[in-house]
Amino acid sequence: MIPREIHGSRETRTRSRVVVILLILALVPLACAAKHAGPGAANAGTPATSALAAAPAPELGDSGPIPVDDQSPRWGDDAAPVTLVEFSDIECPFCGRVQPTLAALQQRYGPHRLRVVWKHDPLPFHPNARPAALAAEAVRELAGNDAFFRFIALLFQDQRHLAQPDLRRAAVSLGVDGTSFDLLTRSPGVSARVDADLELASRVGANGTPHFLINGDAVSGAVPLEDFVAVVEHELDEARALTAHGAAPASIYALRTKANFKAPEAAPADDAPSEKETAWNVPVGSSPRLGPDDALVTIVEFSDFQCPFCKRVQPTLDAIRERYGKDVRIVWKHLPLPFHPRARPAATVSIEARKKLGDAGFWKAEALLFDSSPKLEQEDLQRVAHALGLDWTKTEHAILTDADASVIAEDEGTSVDFEAHGTPHFFVNGNRLVGAQPLEAFTPLIDAELDRAKKLLASGMPRARVYDELMRGASSPPPPEQKTVPAPTAVNPTRGPANAPVTIQMFADFECPYCRRGMKTIEELERLHPNQIRLVYRNLPLEFHPGAQIAASAALEAYAQHGADAFWKMATLLESDQDDPAPLTRNDLVSHATTLGLDVTRFEKALDDKRHQPVIDADVKLAEDLDIKGTPSFVINGYFVPGAQPFAVFERAVQRGLSAKPAPVLLRAK
């Protein structure tokens, strides 16, 4: 049963909670540095209904190299001899798959022998993972650990629906006040907790999800129950031995973690990159530069003004410039990540500063924006603009109209080409270095490149030519995979001009949630490139989507009766059916036909006699010939894009099509 507040009116309760939450938000800087005063571990007792009313958690003591404190969502006793720390992503299907295994572990060992601790590790290519993590932290702040774990269990039950309204509905179903939830999900304190988990994941070598540390012993992936049991049983034996020798129960976790945990090995610091560790010829282009053009070493930085790790690495870059002077230059590339909503507006301010004040203006803007980050709301950007002497009316207009989209898109495209998928991401004379690394990680690469450069100088090469000469041996990214898809015929639904310079052929399934996400990306491309894109729909109903075949027939019948406009309207209705957890039925399809004004008798007959099956079968056969096995899949002017990838991947393919450059050799269909 879900505990609910029963005292007072709804309005009174809402006002009271809003006041409390506003107080929390006002104290966020303190909350981030001090111990969280929320509920203790959810053991066998009744869950707390309010984190604010709960008694302070007990001190947890030394956690060893894998910290577990009272800011960590956890199940089980703090003195349990075995602690399983889970690094997880709520949108990751493998994380969802392993949850029943963890439940079986909890049932087997109970809260007195096993403690389970959650750490957020939302992966950058799962767009809903970070919002879900923020939502889960908000639930925990408001209702405690027990509610936190029930909340993520609800989300894992239906990973297709992790949009903000879905998250809010799930929270409210657990008795959480919706207004308070909305405020907390946007609070810097909640975001900081997720960022702290991400930093820990990077530090301990949790490179994918799910990843587990059982008293510091690593277990990766959705492995079977017996794999976990083997490690837990061993740790229980070790704990008994330590206790027999006088160790306090509360110290077991720290002792065993220090014995078990092996920090990830860093790359040898003093080795120059080998031929296998490819250096990449990342173009400098017209990007902002800090340092002389004849510098011997160029550091290309892909960065995001809202990224805390990008901010954290700035003192390191300052130290590099101080140490190496005119021998090093830094080149900025914009990579505002989609889950940082204020990164793109901040990037626009920096671009506008450069337009007016040149590179010096850009770097002044960069420093001011990082000083302000994570406070990058409109009033914060206005303050930065005024400090730079920019006209705020014009700057705000540039933000609201996304006036500098082409500049950002060019950098995002370069990041796609060179697989710089996160921030900060560096190339030191083409040598890749990922993350907010310390100075000690940069200096060996820089020193090695300086040695190479000075040999060229000693041979008589002018300083201004040295960098280009060094980069001659660097690699360009391989050409993107291509596939030849025949032009559509009259039986294939399309939209957009027939003579558009870019044709996107989309292989999709109306029950596939990723197809729905991919369609949103296509719509954004169509908005940014009006009359330049033609979209072709190809049916690829997957076997494990039971309603996909009949849905494809329904859409094709809408097309047969009222043309392409009716097809795309039916497609939208079918996509919206994914919001309903109940299976798609024939009655749903008939209801859609009625809504669209179709001849329902003819519509039902088409479903019965399967008259559109040859078109569906032809698309499926084409996909097989092209070795396209999943949905959504896209072929954009011959360039293959598998899956609902980030927008920048699609934009890069569109730009290739618009540039009309000669395409590399095609991968012909089998």
Side-chain angles (χ1 to χ4, degrees):
M1 178 179 295
I2 298 171
R4 294 183 183 275
E5 300 247 1
I6 59 174
H7 302 291
S9 68
R10 177 185 301 174
E11 292 80 5
T12 301
R13 293 197 306 272
T14 299
R15 284 197 300 270
S16 299
R17 289 188 177 200
V18 169
V19 169
V20 170
I21 294 304
L22 290 175
L23 287 171
I24 292 173
L25 294 178
L27 295 172
V28 157
L30 295 176
C32 292
K35 278 191 172 291
H36 170 59
N43 298 330
T46 303
T49 58
S50 170
L52 301 171
E59 293 291 335
L60 302 182
D62 179 19
S63 289
I66 317 297
V68 174
D69 57 23
D70 51 8
Q71 298 224 22
S72 302
R74 60 199 187 281
W75 173 95
D77 293 347
D78 288 332
V82 178
T83 294
L84 181 151
V85 179
E86 173 185 6
F87 291 87
S88 197
D89 170 319
I90 297 171
E91 197 175 356
C92 165
F94 302 101
C95 296
R97 188 178 304 168
V98 81
Q99 296 310 304
T101 304
L102 298 179
L105 274 179
Q106 290 169 298
Q107 184 175 7
R108 180 169 185 155
Y109 293 104
H112 303 305
R113 293 198 292 168
L114 177 68
R115 178 175 59 165
V116 176
V117 177
W118 175 282
K119 298 290 185 181
H120 297 285
D121 193 10
L123 303 177
F125 49 82
H126 285 156
N128 292 321
R130 185 180 179 88
L134 297 174
E137 279 298 316
V139 167
R140 178 175 142 344
E141 184 82 23
L142 292 165
N145 281 330
D146 183 78
F148 172 92
F149 284 109
R150 286 190 290 149
F151 181 72
I152 63 169
L154 285 175
L155 301 186
F156 275 130
Q157 286 174 12
D158 187 7
Q159 291 175 294
R160 297 183 306 166
H161 298 113
L162 296 175
Q164 198 63 33
D166 304 312
L167 301 174
R168 193 180 196 273
R169 277 194 296 271
V172 171
S173 77
L174 297 175
V176 171
D177 176 71
T179 304
S180 303
F181 172 82
D182 293 340
L183 286 168
L184 270 179
T185 55
R186 298 192 295 269
S187 76
V190 164
S191 182
R193 286 204 289 274
V194 174
D195 288 335
D197 284 356
L198 280 166
E199 182 184 22
L200 178 64
S202 175
R203 195 163 72 240
V204 303
N207 297 320
T209 57
H211 186 84
F212 307 93
L213 292 166
I214 304 175
N215 280 6
D217 199 355
V219 176
S220 292
V223 300
L225 177 63
E226 50 267 27
D227 289 17
F228 287 103
V229 168
V231 181
V232 171
E233 290 291 343
H234 174 73
E235 287 305 311
L236 288 172
D237 289 342
E238 293 293 331
R240 281 190 286 268
L242 286 171
T243 303
H245 284 82
S251 69
I252 298 296
Y253 172 67
L255 292 170
R256 290 303 301 153
T257 303
K258 289 173 182 176
N260 286 329
F261 177 66
K262 297 178 177 60
E265 292 184 9
D270 54 354
D271 286 348
S274 66
E275 287 188 320
K276 186 176 181 181
E277 296 168 333
T278 305
W280 298 98
N281 191 1
V282 182
V284 171
S286 58
S287 296
R289 282 159 274 191
L290 184 61
D293 286 338
D294 65 355
L296 303 179
V297 175
T298 293
I299 300 174
V300 178
E301 171 190 7
F302 289 87
S303 196
D304 168 320
F305 288 114
Q306 199 178 350
C307 167
F309 305 105
C310 297
K311 179 174 182 173
R312 188 171 302 160
V313 81
Q314 296 310 305
T316 300
L317 298 177
D318 292 341
I320 288 170
R321 293 186 61 245
E322 183 176 351
R323 174 179 289 199
Y324 293 101
K326 67 180 182 179
D327 285 339
V328 170
R329 68 174 171 172
I330 297 172
V331 176
W332 175 281
K333 300 285 185 182
H334 295 282
L335 189 56
L337 300 176
F339 50 82
H340 287 154
R342 302 304 300 170
R344 191 175 185 94
T348 300
V349 172
S350 72
I351 296 168
E352 292 298 306
R354 189 182 186 214
K355 287 180 181 178
K356 181 177 180 180
L357 304 169
D359 276 9
F362 171 85
W363 292 105
K364 184 177 180 181
E366 184 248 20
L368 290 171
L369 289 166
F370 274 129
D371 283 346
S372 182
S373 183
K375 289 175 56 61
L376 296 172
E377 299 304 321
Q378 213 72 345
E379 59 270 22
D380 304 307
L381 299 183
Q382 182 177 7
R383 187 170 57 253
V384 170
H386 284 163
L388 294 166
L390 301 180
D391 183 318
W392 174 243
T393 301
K394 293 180 180 178
T395 304
E396 186 176 38
H397 179 73
I399 293 171
L400 296 176
T401 60
D402 203 14
D404 298 308
S406 61
V407 176
I408 296 172
E410 179 63 28
D411 288 352
E412 288 176 327
T414 303
S415 78
V416 171
D417 289 346
F418 291 91
E419 298 184 345
H421 297 311
T423 57
H425 202 113
F426 303 94
F427 291 88
V428 181
N429 274 14
N431 298 287
R432 191 186 304 272
L433 190 62
V434 180
Q437 300 283 351
L439 180 64
E440 294 76 18
F442 283 91
T443 51
L445 287 174
I446 296 172
D447 291 342
E449 290 302 311
L450 283 176
D451 286 345
R452 294 175 61 207
K454 288 173 181 177
K455 289 176 182 177
L456 292 175
L457 287 175
S459 71
M461 181 170 290
R463 185 180 177 92
R465 286 181 50 198
V466 169
Y467 177 72
D468 289 339
E469 181 64 24
L470 290 172
M471 297 311 295
R472 282 182 59 189
S475 298
S476 296
E481 183 179 359
Q482 297 215 351
K483 296 181 184 289
T484 303
V485 183
T489 67
V491 301
N492 303 119
T494 67
R495 73 182 184 213
N499 63 347
V502 175
T503 296
I504 300 177
Q505 304 227 31
M506 177 180 184
F507 291 80
D509 169 324
F510 288 115
E511 284 199 318
C512 167
Y514 301 102
C515 295
R516 184 182 188 182
R517 187 183 303 166
M519 185 60 74
K520 296 295 184 188
T521 302
I522 298 301
E523 291 168 357
E524 180 65 9
L525 290 170
E526 292 171 324
R527 184 187 70 79
L528 290 175
H529 304 285
N531 300 316
Q532 293 185 301
I533 291 175
R534 184 187 193 194
L535 177 62
V536 181
Y537 193 94
R538 300 279 187 177
N539 293 282
L540 186 55
L542 302 177
E543 292 181 0
F544 51 86
H545 287 154
Q549 279 278 354
I550 194 170
S553 294
L556 289 174
E557 177 57 24
Y559 178 54
Q561 289 194 31
H562 288 175
D565 185 60
F567 172 87
W568 295 109
K569 288 180 178 177
M570 177 65 83
T572 299
L573 291 172
L574 292 168
E575 288 172 357
S576 68
D577 286 330
Q578 294 180 20
D579 293 331
D580 187 345
L584 182 69
T585 66
R586 183 187 180 96
N587 287 340
D588 295 327
L589 300 177
V590 172
S591 175
H592 294 337
T594 303
T595 299
L596 296 176
L598 304 183
D599 181 331
V600 174
T601 301
R602 176 181 164 187
F603 178 83
E604 290 197 88
K605 188 175 181 180
L607 297 184
D608 291 334
D609 64 24
K610 299 185 178 180
R611 66 187 65 175
H612 301 297
Q613 196 61 43
V615 176
I616 298 171
D617 290 343
D619 285 348
V620 171
K621 177 64 164 58
L622 176 61
E624 291 175 354
D625 291 344
L626 294 167
D627 198 27
I628 292 175
K629 297 176 181 178
T631 59
S633 290
F634 305 86
V635 181
I636 304 176
N637 274 31
Y639 294 100
F640 180 52
V641 178
Q645 297 203 40
F647 177 82
V649 176
F650 288 86
E651 175 65 13
R652 192 58 159 176
V654 168
Q655 290 295 339
R656 288 192 183 101
L658 292 174
S659 68
K661 294 178 181 177
V665 178
L666 299 179
L667 298 177
R668 298 289 176 183
K670 295 178 181 177

